[in-house]
Amino acid sequence: MMKTIKFLPISLIVFLTFACSEDDGQGQDDGSDNAGPLYAVDNRIFTPDGSLSYLVTASALDDASIDITDFSGLPEFPGSARVYGPEMQGVTYLTNGDPTITEVTFAEDGEPEIGRVISFAGEGVEFTSGGSLNVFLSPTKAYFVSQTTLEVVVWNPEIMEITSTFPLPLTVTPGSFRLFLRGKPIIVNDLLVLISYEWTDSDRFNNNGVTVTVVDTNSDAVVSNTVEERAVSFFAYAEDNAGNLYFIPDTEVAFEHYLVPDRVQAPVMLRMMAGEISFDPDWSRSFTEELGTRFWGNSFPGPDGSVYFLALDDELPEIEDVEITNDFSSIEGWKWYRLDGFDADFEETTIDAGFIGGFAFFADKEYYVQRFNEADETYTLFKTTAPGGLKEGLTTPGFSYSMLRVR
């Protein structure tokens, strides 16, 4: 039986956000215990003139019987959207092209209901595509970390008001901008660990390291700011059952190193042990010699605290014709590998998902990735933490940037 799917079209600008788990105890009970599970998923359709956005609500994410393949007949709005907020609290928050955040609640039947709006215009904040982020700390406190002004805007989700701001000790090389790590926020004993790197439209990476900025969320003060020079960038991370964090760079680092080796250093895996707020200075690992290829990267959480990453044979004849980074992802032959410990041997998996870029979504204590289906130009979610390999789920005609369980 097909499950209930509803849609809400919204005109919004791309914006990096994070969702916290239900264990965080954030927000208020929505009083809908008997209404059944409900997930909010942003959805973006690309058009010749730009893009259109919709907020999709579904009763499950990992059920392959849910198939959304047509938005025809629905109102259309330009732009793209992201959803974020505390899970299991009956509410999500949306960013839009103006410097605003919109509250959305949900009726018992799953119908989205537009609520209050908060504006950051007075703080000089711009909502640009890329690496700004939101972190929810309590029902009355959240951080908006601005990619453009490199400051933190503290706001109250309960009353939808800004309470304060404070600057981050970050700089940007002219012609570049700063991107923040995607995934769940890294919070250790009330300390928020922000990991960022510089990105440029022309050269892609500035080879000046990864910055680790630690913020005390009680005093709203920066307690440390250090540069990790062993890495070019980290786009995401994976966490094992012990809370240790695995940082494997996005595959684009390997591609850029291949194309411009004098500018971008080779990829390297680093770790952050559970309870720590910095990278282990005495440990690093490269898979280049072990795999026999320079093309490896992307970290996705796997089942039982394992980590997936991808690799491609760097002696394939198609590689000789590659001139830009994006062309690597379309080459056939990508293989999935599973890693069960920092120093453990990795093994090639039976997963035949091809290349999947980006990062893993976190929703309801599980992780998902999204694959583009070239045959019909749709997108399909796969649960990466499913036992035995990826589990196919929700299919939509548009690309998703974020999702969370609202009840």
Side-chain angles (χ1 to χ4, degrees):
M1 181 177 68
M2 296 292 289
K3 290 182 166 58
T4 302
I5 307 295
K6 293 183 180 293
F7 308 89
L8 173 67
I10 302 174
S11 172
L12 296 169
I13 291 294
V14 178
F15 189 112
L16 178 58
T17 57
F18 291 111
C20 300
S21 75
E22 61 183 283
D23 291 339
D24 294 332
Q26 301 170 354
Q28 303 297 321
D29 188 349
D30 70 340
S32 301
D33 292 340
N34 299 320
L38 186 70
Y39 296 83
V41 183
D42 68 61
N43 214 243
R44 180 185 185 188
I45 296 178
F46 297 92
T47 70
D49 299 323
S51 60
L52 307 171
S53 286
Y54 303 86
L55 175 64
V56 178
T57 62
S59 56
L61 295 179
D62 60 351
D63 191 327
S65 67
I66 301 176
D67 188 8
I68 308 170
T69 55
D70 189 6
F71 284 154
S72 63
L74 295 173
E76 297 178 345
F77 292 83
S80 57
R82 298 217 178 192
V83 299
Y84 56 94
E87 289 207 315
M88 298 290 288
Q89 301 304 322
V91 63
T92 187
Y93 298 89
L94 299 156
T95 56
N96 80 14
D98 298 321
T100 60
I101 290 179
T102 301
E103 176 189 58
V104 179
T105 57
F106 300 86
E108 186 171 347
D109 65 355
E111 188 73 29
E113 299 175 348
I114 298 295
R116 300 167 294 176
V117 178
I118 182 174
S119 174
F120 291 175
E123 307 304 321
V125 173
E126 300 176 7
F127 283 14
T128 58
S129 172
S132 299
L133 60 93
N134 275 274
V135 180
F136 284 77
L137 301 168
S138 77
T140 59
K141 186 174 184 178
Y143 280 172
F144 166 76
V145 184
S146 172
Q147 168 193 326
T148 52
T149 61
L150 299 179
E151 66 178 338
V152 177
V153 179
V154 187
W155 62 287
N156 186 331
E158 188 172 82
I159 61 176
M160 293 293 283
E161 290 184 3
I162 295 172
T163 58
S164 64
T165 64
F166 61 93
L168 295 173
L170 298 172
T171 59
V172 177
T173 304
S176 301
F177 56 92
R178 190 166 285 274
L179 288 172
F180 291 94
L181 186 76
R182 303 192 184 203
K184 285 196 307 177
I186 303 173
I187 299 179
V188 180
N189 298 325
D190 295 325
L191 296 176
L192 171 65
V193 181
L194 299 172
I195 297 177
S196 61
Y197 61 96
E198 286 189 348
W199 182 272
T200 168
D201 289 335
S202 57
D203 294 315
R204 312 289 291 200
F205 295 104
N206 278 336
N207 197 13
N208 52 9
V210 171
T211 303
V212 181
T213 307
V214 180
V215 175
D216 186 328
T217 62
N218 291 317
S219 62
D220 299 332
V222 176
V223 297
S224 64
N225 191 69
T226 58
V227 177
E228 173 55 70
E229 297 182 346
R230 291 177 292 174
V232 174
S233 78
F234 289 117
F235 194 62
Y237 71 92
E239 182 177 0
D240 66 18
N241 290 332
N244 302 312
L245 307 185
Y246 297 66
F247 292 85
I248 297 177
D250 186 72
T251 49
E252 289 189 347
V253 174
F255 301 155
E256 289 290 301
H257 175 66
Y258 171 78
L259 294 172
V260 284
D262 294 336
R263 177 170 179 78
V264 177
Q265 65 190 43
V268 62
M269 172 184 168
L270 300 181
R271 71 184 183 188
M272 190 175 290
M273 304 301 290
E276 298 296 323
I277 57 174
S278 62
F279 293 114
D280 185 339
D282 302 317
W283 187 95
S284 65
R285 183 175 182 180
S286 170
F287 296 100
T288 300
E289 290 189 7
E290 295 178 79
L291 284 167
T293 177
R294 291 164 287 182
F295 298 148
W296 58 270
N298 290 358
S299 56
F300 301 132
D304 301 321
S306 63
V307 178
Y308 290 132
F309 67 96
L310 281 63
L312 178 72
D313 184 352
D314 61 9
E315 295 185 355
L316 292 173
E318 300 94 318
I319 292 174
E320 297 181 1
D321 299 325
V322 173
E323 296 181 353
I324 60 175
T325 302
N326 291 340
D327 290 345
F328 285 100
S329 60
S330 61
I331 297 177
E332 295 184 1
W334 285 93
K335 296 180 180 179
W336 286 66
Y337 293 85
R338 174 170 166 163
L339 184 66
D340 289 292
F342 291 118
D343 296 303
D345 293 334
F346 54 84
E347 61 179 23
E348 184 178 337
T349 74
T350 57
I351 296 173
D352 186 21
F355 178 84
I356 294 180
F359 60 101
F361 307 101
F362 177 74
D364 196 21
K365 300 181 181 180
E366 302 288 354
Y367 287 89
Y368 300 82
V369 292
Q370 192 174 45
R371 184 180 71 183
F372 177 65
N373 307 309
E374 189 172 355
D376 57 5
E377 297 186 343
T378 60
Y379 296 83
T380 300
L381 283 181
F382 289 85
K383 182 193 290 187
T384 66
T385 43
L390 305 189
K391 181 180 180 181
E392 184 175 351
L394 183 70
T395 295
T396 71
F399 182 78
S400 297
Y401 292 94
S402 53
M403 59 193 65
L404 80 156
R405 183 175 177 179
V406 296
R407 69 171 184 232

